[in-house]
Amino acid sequence: ITDVSLGAGESGLALCEQLRDEHPDVHVFVLSGDPRNDEAAKRLGATGFWLKPADPTAMAEAIRAACGD
């Protein structure tokens, strides 16, 4: 799980892309306060996207589904 804005000029979207390229079996979920980041996250291979403030129950359900539980 990563936020789009990581501070110090770091991008959660770049992290998502790197993780998916290097570890395609890893599920990456992206959080953002900006709904416009949803499409970019999906395009970069994110398993899921949550708009802040995200619902913890929905997050847990999405993570369980991605892990096959």
Side-chain angles (χ1 to χ4, degrees), residues 1-4 27-35 37-38 41-42 46-66:
I1 300 172
T2 184
D3 197 310
V4 168
H27 295 284
V28 180
F29 292 88
V30 177
L31 275 162
S32 178
D34 186 341
N37 288 315
D38 184 17
K42 290 177 182 172
T47 303
F49 175 86
W50 298 304
L51 185 62
K52 292 193 266 183
D55 174 40
T57 302
M59 292 173 71
E61 289 172 0
I63 293 167
R64 275 192 224 97

Side-chain angles (χ1 to χ4, degrees), residues 5-19:
S5 179
L6 300 178
E10 298 295 324
S11 166
L13 293 174
L15 176 62
C16 175
E17 182 176 31
Q18 180 180 358
L19 284 169

